[in-house]
Amino acid sequence: MAQRLIPVRGKYFGVSTLKTPWSPQETDNVAQRAGGRPNLLEYFAKWTEDYRPEAVDATYQQGAVPLLTWEPWGSVAAGTEQPQYALAEISNGRHDAYIRRFAHHVKAHGRPVILRFAHEMNGTWFPWAERRNGNSAGEYVEAWRHVHDIFTEVGVRNVAWQWSPNILRTVEKVRLQPLYPGDRYVDIIGLSGYSKHETRAADVFEPALNEIQAFTGRPVLIAETGARPGDDKALWIADFFTWLRGRPDVIGFVWFERNIEQGGKQDWRFAETAETQNAFRGGLAGLELADAPSGEPMASG
């Protein structure tokens, strides 16, 4: 299944906007500004939400692959202390009915989905981090495997699992290998990484990638990226595409095309200014984009 969502040629140009994937107009606007059409759309769902087949359908109708970031918490407002979503509570079966129902709906729908579960686990800003919410070392992997095992028991074959830590900036002391569930449980590696003060894309991503590639050879899909406003933003965007073209192991990226009002901590948009937009258009023009799969449902089994 995972191989169906890993491009043989070319790369994913993904985007997350405020209304992705519900607003084709937003996707059209991104395509116009970028000079190329996104072939992957990322959106988010909390554990208070069921699987929404119409979101996956809307993504494929826009010529893109769905990347669903599935977040095991109840709300953003509740912060990092949400005891009902502690990692041990996931592993001990408290949420099994919800997980199983979600898995059955994914299977019944049948369309391929990249599932980015419990991302940025090496940070401290989500309740599934091992240093928050009463969690302990080793519990993240246990929770991941428990959720994955339920999907396996249900017979889900149309999901590619993405394990997606944050880059090492600010969390350099947290080792990634103890948080990795293993190749049996992971199909694609993700990274969240934004340019804040760096001038080269390699400085943002490669410290984490070097560590990750010491224990897995799974392909990499940058799950969130962008660049903060500043005089060097256009330069960093241009360098990002140069870096991307030189990394055959990185199969694509998702640009977080949002400003502060739209949920970004900064104005991460490539279209922030004419200069940054031109840098993005120029970089994308030199990048071979993958053909998006058709999204035809897979046979259940």
Side-chain angles (χ1 to χ4, degrees):
M1 166 59 223
Q3 288 303 120
R4 182 170 170 180
L5 291 174
I6 296 171
V8 176
R9 287 189 56 184
K11 298 184 187 289
Y12 283 125
F13 159 33
V15 68
S16 176
T17 69
L18 180 62
K19 297 179 181 178
T20 306
W22 306 106
S23 173
Q25 183 62 49
E26 284 193 4
T27 306
D28 291 344
N29 289 342
V30 168
Q32 181 183 24
R33 293 166 183 157
R37 189 162 188 84
N39 54 8
L40 185 146
L41 297 177
E42 180 177 5
Y43 63 103
F44 296 75
K46 302 181 295 294
W47 273 28
T48 56
E49 303 172 66
D50 282 322
Y51 175 74
R52 301 178 71 177
E54 61 271 24
V56 173
D57 290 343
T59 303
Y60 278 112
Q61 288 163 7
Q62 294 170 66
V65 168
L67 194 168
L68 169 54
T69 294
W70 196 29
E71 304 173 301
W73 62 351
S75 71
V76 177
T80 60
E81 301 305 309
Q82 301 187 38
Q84 68 271 38
Y85 295 103
L87 293 170
E89 293 296 288
I90 296 173
S91 298
N92 70 20
R94 177 171 181 169
H95 301 281
D96 280 8
Y98 166 74
I99 298 165
R100 194 171 298 276
R101 182 173 71 248
F102 200 99
H104 274 292
H105 290 166
V106 171
K107 178 185 176 183
H109 193 212
R111 305 191 82 167
V113 177
I114 300 173
L115 192 62
R116 180 184 178 227
F117 171 60
H119 64 300
E120 300 173 15
M121 76 302 294
N122 57 323
T124 57
W125 43 88
F126 289 125
W128 53 86
E130 288 187 343
R131 292 182 290 165
R132 291 290 183 268
N133 204 26
N135 300 322
S136 300
E139 290 183 340
Y140 180 83
V141 166
E142 292 175 5
W144 178 290
R145 291 177 176 175
H146 181 78
V147 173
H148 188 285
D149 286 347
I150 291 175
F151 274 64
T152 300
E153 291 166 10
V154 168
V156 179
R157 297 175 55 244
N158 52 309
V159 162
W161 291 83
Q162 185 181 39
W163 177 77
S164 186
N166 197 70
I167 58 169
L168 301 189
R169 187 205 302 123
T170 75
V171 288
E172 289 88 352
K173 294 181 180 180
V174 181
R175 299 279 63 84
L176 295 176
Q177 187 166 9
L179 297 168
Y180 186 60
D183 283 358
R184 178 182 169 190
Y185 294 89
V186 174
D187 302 301
I188 299 170
I189 302 300
L191 269 182
S192 298
Y194 295 81
S195 170
K196 288 192 173 181
H197 54 75
E198 300 86 352
T199 57
R200 301 190 315 139
D203 294 335
V204 175
F205 299 110
E206 290 191 4
L209 286 177
N210 290 340
E211 185 171 330
I212 291 167
Q213 289 172 337
F215 57 82
T216 181
R218 289 287 191 244
V220 177
L221 172 61
I222 304 297
E224 290 183 36
T225 194
R228 74 186 304 168
D231 294 340
D232 55 359
K233 179 170 180 174
L235 293 174
W236 191 88
I237 291 173
D239 184 76
F240 171 76
F241 283 101
T242 300
W243 175 82
L244 190 63
R245 288 194 298 271
R247 296 289 305 227
D249 56 316
V250 180
I251 61 174
F253 69 97
V254 177
W255 199 273
F256 206 69
E257 188 64 3
R258 306 192 196 198
N259 58 22
I260 293 174
E261 291 73 25
Q262 297 163 342
K265 293 183 178 179
Q266 302 280 345
D267 189 343
W268 302 120
R269 298 173 302 161
F270 72 79
E272 181 206 353
T273 69
E275 184 183 17
T276 58
Q277 180 174 315
N278 288 338
F280 194 95
R281 288 177 68 95
L284 191 67
L287 192 69
E288 181 182 7
L289 298 185
D291 294 329
S294 66
E296 289 301 311
M298 298 185 64
S300 62

PDB file of all heavy atoms in Angstrom, residues 57-75:
ATOM      1  N   ASP A  57     -12.259  12.630  -0.372  1.00  0.00           N
ATOM      2  CA  ASP A  57     -12.824  12.785  -1.721  1.00  0.00           C
ATOM      3  C   ASP A  57     -12.517  14.172  -2.284  1.00  0.00           C
ATOM      4  O   ASP A  57     -12.130  14.314  -3.453  1.00  0.00           O
ATOM      5  CB  ASP A  57     -14.340  12.569  -1.688  1.00  0.00           C
ATOM      6  CG  ASP A  57     -14.729  11.128  -1.427  1.00  0.00           C
ATOM      7  OD1 ASP A  57     -13.879  10.229  -1.593  1.00  0.00           O
ATOM      8  OD2 ASP A  57     -15.895  10.899  -1.042  1.00  0.00           O
ATOM      9  N   ALA A  58     -12.685  15.210  -1.450  1.00  0.00           N
ATOM     10  CA  ALA A  58     -12.423  16.573  -1.906  1.00  0.00           C
ATOM     11  C   ALA A  58     -10.962  16.750  -2.307  1.00  0.00           C
ATOM     12  O   ALA A  58     -10.656  17.474  -3.263  1.00  0.00           O
ATOM     13  CB  ALA A  58     -12.792  17.568  -0.803  1.00  0.00           C
ATOM     14  N   THR A  59     -10.071  16.093  -1.593  1.00  0.00           N
ATOM     15  CA  THR A  59      -8.646  16.190  -1.915  1.00  0.00           C
ATOM     16  C   THR A  59      -8.363  15.574  -3.278  1.00  0.00           C
ATOM     17  O   THR A  59      -7.694  16.185  -4.128  1.00  0.00           O
ATOM     18  CB  THR A  59      -7.810  15.500  -0.821  1.00  0.00           C
ATOM     19  OG1 THR A  59      -8.110  16.096   0.441  1.00  0.00           O
ATOM     20  CG2 THR A  59      -6.333  15.648  -1.107  1.00  0.00           C
ATOM     21  N   TYR A  60      -8.841  14.364  -3.487  1.00  0.00           N
ATOM     22  CA  TYR A  60      -8.602  13.716  -4.785  1.00  0.00           C
ATOM     23  C   TYR A  60      -9.286  14.463  -5.927  1.00  0.00           C
ATOM     24  O   TYR A  60      -8.756  14.513  -7.048  1.00  0.00           O
ATOM     25  CB  TYR A  60      -9.056  12.252  -4.736  1.00  0.00           C
ATOM     26  CG  TYR A  60      -8.022  11.346  -4.099  1.00  0.00           C
ATOM     27  CD1 TYR A  60      -8.250  10.747  -2.873  1.00  0.00           C
ATOM     28  CD2 TYR A  60      -6.807  11.101  -4.729  1.00  0.00           C
ATOM     29  CE1 TYR A  60      -7.310   9.919  -2.286  1.00  0.00           C
ATOM     30  CE2 TYR A  60      -5.853  10.281  -4.148  1.00  0.00           C
ATOM     31  CZ  TYR A  60      -6.106   9.689  -2.932  1.00  0.00           C
ATOM     32  OH  TYR A  60      -5.159   8.875  -2.360  1.00  0.00           O
ATOM     33  N   GLN A  61     -10.432  15.069  -5.657  1.00  0.00           N
ATOM     34  CA  GLN A  61     -11.112  15.853  -6.687  1.00  0.00           C
ATOM     35  C   GLN A  61     -10.280  17.064  -7.107  1.00  0.00           C
ATOM     36  O   GLN A  61     -10.457  17.589  -8.210  1.00  0.00           O
ATOM     37  CB  GLN A  61     -12.489  16.295  -6.193  1.00  0.00           C
ATOM     38  CG  GLN A  61     -13.502  15.162  -6.124  1.00  0.00           C
ATOM     39  CD  GLN A  61     -14.714  15.489  -5.277  1.00  0.00           C
ATOM     40  OE1 GLN A  61     -14.883  16.621  -4.814  1.00  0.00           O
ATOM     41  NE2 GLN A  61     -15.569  14.503  -5.051  1.00  0.00           N
ATOM     42  N   GLN A  62      -9.375  17.493  -6.237  1.00  0.00           N
ATOM     43  CA  GLN A  62      -8.485  18.610  -6.551  1.00  0.00           C
ATOM     44  C   GLN A  62      -7.143  18.131  -7.124  1.00  0.00           C
ATOM     45  O   GLN A  62      -6.206  18.912  -7.254  1.00  0.00           O
ATOM     46  CB  GLN A  62      -8.278  19.469  -5.296  1.00  0.00           C
ATOM     47  CG  GLN A  62      -9.556  20.164  -4.845  1.00  0.00           C
ATOM     48  CD  GLN A  62      -9.412  20.818  -3.486  1.00  0.00           C
ATOM     49  OE1 GLN A  62      -8.640  21.771  -3.330  1.00  0.00           O
ATOM     50  NE2 GLN A  62     -10.149  20.343  -2.494  1.00  0.00           N
ATOM     51  N   GLY A  63      -7.061  16.847  -7.438  1.00  0.00           N
ATOM     52  CA  GLY A  63      -5.862  16.310  -8.063  1.00  0.00           C
ATOM     53  C   GLY A  63      -4.710  16.104  -7.108  1.00  0.00           C
ATOM     54  O   GLY A  63      -3.537  16.161  -7.511  1.00  0.00           O
ATOM     55  N   ALA A  64      -5.038  15.849  -5.833  1.00  0.00           N
ATOM     56  CA  ALA A  64      -4.000  15.759  -4.805  1.00  0.00           C
ATOM     57  C   ALA A  64      -4.203  14.535  -3.924  1.00  0.00           C
ATOM     58  O   ALA A  64      -5.296  13.974  -3.849  1.00  0.00           O
ATOM     59  CB  ALA A  64      -3.990  17.020  -3.952  1.00  0.00           C
ATOM     60  N   VAL A  65      -3.126  14.134  -3.258  1.00  0.00           N
ATOM     61  CA  VAL A  65      -3.144  13.055  -2.277  1.00  0.00           C
ATOM     62  C   VAL A  65      -3.465  13.644  -0.899  1.00  0.00           C
ATOM     63  O   VAL A  65      -2.941  14.705  -0.543  1.00  0.00           O
ATOM     64  CB  VAL A  65      -1.771  12.345  -2.254  1.00  0.00           C
ATOM     65  CG1 VAL A  65      -1.644  11.407  -1.063  1.00  0.00           C
ATOM     66  CG2 VAL A  65      -1.549  11.586  -3.561  1.00  0.00           C
ATOM     67  N   PRO A  66      -4.310  12.991  -0.102  1.00  0.00           N
ATOM     68  CA  PRO A  66      -4.603  13.491   1.238  1.00  0.00           C
ATOM     69  C   PRO A  66      -3.548  13.076   2.260  1.00  0.00           C
ATOM     70  O   PRO A  66      -3.154  11.908   2.323  1.00  0.00           O
ATOM     71  CB  PRO A  66      -5.956  12.850   1.563  1.00  0.00           C
ATOM     72  CG  PRO A  66      -5.996  11.608   0.739  1.00  0.00           C
ATOM     73  CD  PRO A  66      -5.187  11.864  -0.489  1.00  0.00           C
ATOM     74  N   LEU A  67      -3.114  14.043   3.039  1.00  0.00           N
ATOM     75  CA  LEU A  67      -2.245  13.799   4.191  1.00  0.00           C
ATOM     76  C   LEU A  67      -3.017  14.258   5.418  1.00  0.00           C
ATOM     77  O   LEU A  67      -3.215  15.445   5.627  1.00  0.00           O
ATOM     78  CB  LEU A  67      -0.918  14.547   4.064  1.00  0.00           C
ATOM     79  CG  LEU A  67       0.225  14.148   5.013  1.00  0.00           C
ATOM     80  CD1 LEU A  67       1.547  14.772   4.549  1.00  0.00           C
ATOM     81  CD2 LEU A  67      -0.027  14.540   6.465  1.00  0.00           C
ATOM     82  N   LEU A  68      -3.470  13.288   6.199  1.00  0.00           N
ATOM     83  CA  LEU A  68      -4.285  13.569   7.376  1.00  0.00           C
ATOM     84  C   LEU A  68      -3.410  13.518   8.620  1.00  0.00           C
ATOM     85  O   LEU A  68      -2.876  12.461   8.968  1.00  0.00           O
ATOM     86  CB  LEU A  68      -5.421  12.544   7.480  1.00  0.00           C
ATOM     87  CG  LEU A  68      -6.234  12.522   8.783  1.00  0.00           C
ATOM     88  CD1 LEU A  68      -6.799  13.892   9.125  1.00  0.00           C
ATOM     89  CD2 LEU A  68      -7.342  11.481   8.690  1.00  0.00           C
ATOM     90  N   THR A  69      -3.253  14.661   9.286  1.00  0.00           N
ATOM     91  CA  THR A  69      -2.555  14.711  10.569  1.00  0.00           C
ATOM     92  C   THR A  69      -3.577  14.430  11.658  1.00  0.00           C
ATOM     93  O   THR A  69      -4.493  15.219  11.894  1.00  0.00           O
ATOM     94  CB  THR A  69      -1.891  16.079  10.768  1.00  0.00           C
ATOM     95  OG1 THR A  69      -0.845  16.231   9.795  1.00  0.00           O
ATOM     96  CG2 THR A  69      -1.271  16.181  12.141  1.00  0.00           C
ATOM     97  N   TRP A  70      -3.394  13.282  12.321  1.00  0.00           N
ATOM     98  CA  TRP A  70      -4.381  12.749  13.275  1.00  0.00           C
ATOM     99  C   TRP A  70      -3.845  12.962  14.682  1.00  0.00           C
ATOM    100  O   TRP A  70      -2.854  12.350  15.081  1.00  0.00           O
ATOM    101  CB  TRP A  70      -4.599  11.279  12.970  1.00  0.00           C
ATOM    102  CG  TRP A  70      -5.808  10.656  13.566  1.00  0.00           C
ATOM    103  CD1 TRP A  70      -6.995  11.250  13.885  1.00  0.00           C
ATOM    104  CD2 TRP A  70      -5.950   9.264  13.898  1.00  0.00           C
ATOM    105  NE1 TRP A  70      -7.872  10.331  14.393  1.00  0.00           N
ATOM    106  CE2 TRP A  70      -7.271   9.107  14.405  1.00  0.00           C
ATOM    107  CE3 TRP A  70      -5.130   8.155  13.788  1.00  0.00           C
ATOM    108  CZ2 TRP A  70      -7.746   7.857  14.823  1.00  0.00           C
ATOM    109  CZ3 TRP A  70      -5.602   6.918  14.199  1.00  0.00           C
ATOM    110  CH2 TRP A  70      -6.895   6.771  14.707  1.00  0.00           C
ATOM    111  N   GLU A  71      -4.500  13.846  15.443  1.00  0.00           N
ATOM    112  CA  GLU A  71      -3.975  14.338  16.707  1.00  0.00           C
ATOM    113  C   GLU A  71      -4.749  13.773  17.899  1.00  0.00           C
ATOM    114  O   GLU A  71      -5.939  14.086  18.066  1.00  0.00           O
ATOM    115  CB  GLU A  71      -4.061  15.871  16.733  1.00  0.00           C
ATOM    116  CG  GLU A  71      -3.345  16.541  15.570  1.00  0.00           C
ATOM    117  CD  GLU A  71      -3.588  18.035  15.524  1.00  0.00           C
ATOM    118  OE1 GLU A  71      -4.772  18.428  15.416  1.00  0.00           O
ATOM    119  OE2 GLU A  71      -2.618  18.798  15.609  1.00  0.00           O
ATOM    120  N   PRO A  72      -4.091  12.966  18.751  1.00  0.00           N
ATOM    121  CA  PRO A  72      -4.795  12.349  19.871  1.00  0.00           C
ATOM    122  C   PRO A  72      -4.955  13.280  21.072  1.00  0.00           C
ATOM    123  O   PRO A  72      -4.291  13.149  22.107  1.00  0.00           O
ATOM    124  CB  PRO A  72      -3.902  11.136  20.212  1.00  0.00           C
ATOM    125  CG  PRO A  72      -2.539  11.553  19.806  1.00  0.00           C
ATOM    126  CD  PRO A  72      -2.719  12.433  18.596  1.00  0.00           C
ATOM    127  N   TRP A  73      -5.849  14.241  20.905  1.00  0.00           N
ATOM    128  CA  TRP A  73      -6.222  15.138  21.992  1.00  0.00           C
ATOM    129  C   TRP A  73      -7.634  15.638  21.754  1.00  0.00           C
ATOM    130  O   TRP A  73      -8.221  15.395  20.688  1.00  0.00           O
ATOM    131  CB  TRP A  73      -5.230  16.280  22.167  1.00  0.00           C
ATOM    132  CG  TRP A  73      -5.045  17.241  20.999  1.00  0.00           C
ATOM    133  CD1 TRP A  73      -5.533  17.117  19.729  1.00  0.00           C
ATOM    134  CD2 TRP A  73      -4.300  18.457  21.029  1.00  0.00           C
ATOM    135  NE1 TRP A  73      -5.138  18.187  18.957  1.00  0.00           N
ATOM    136  CE2 TRP A  73      -4.376  19.023  19.731  1.00  0.00           C
ATOM    137  CE3 TRP A  73      -3.581  19.121  22.007  1.00  0.00           C
ATOM    138  CZ2 TRP A  73      -3.751  20.228  19.396  1.00  0.00           C
ATOM    139  CZ3 TRP A  73      -2.955  20.320  21.671  1.00  0.00           C
ATOM    140  CH2 TRP A  73      -3.039  20.853  20.381  1.00  0.00           C
ATOM    141  N   GLY A  74      -8.170  16.354  22.753  1.00  0.00           N
ATOM    142  CA  GLY A  74      -9.535  16.827  22.632  1.00  0.00           C
ATOM    143  C   GLY A  74      -9.658  18.217  22.064  1.00  0.00           C
ATOM    144  O   GLY A  74     -10.599  18.513  21.334  1.00  0.00           O
ATOM    145  N   SER A  75      -8.686  19.085  22.406  1.00  0.00           N
ATOM    146  CA  SER A  75      -8.741  20.447  21.911  1.00  0.00           C
ATOM    147  C   SER A  75      -7.394  21.122  22.070  1.00  0.00           C
ATOM    148  O   SER A  75      -6.588  20.741  22.923  1.00  0.00           O
ATOM    149  CB  SER A  75      -9.804  21.259  22.669  1.00  0.00           C
ATOM    150  OG  SER A  75      -9.382  21.516  24.000  1.00  0.00           O
TER     151      SER A  75
END
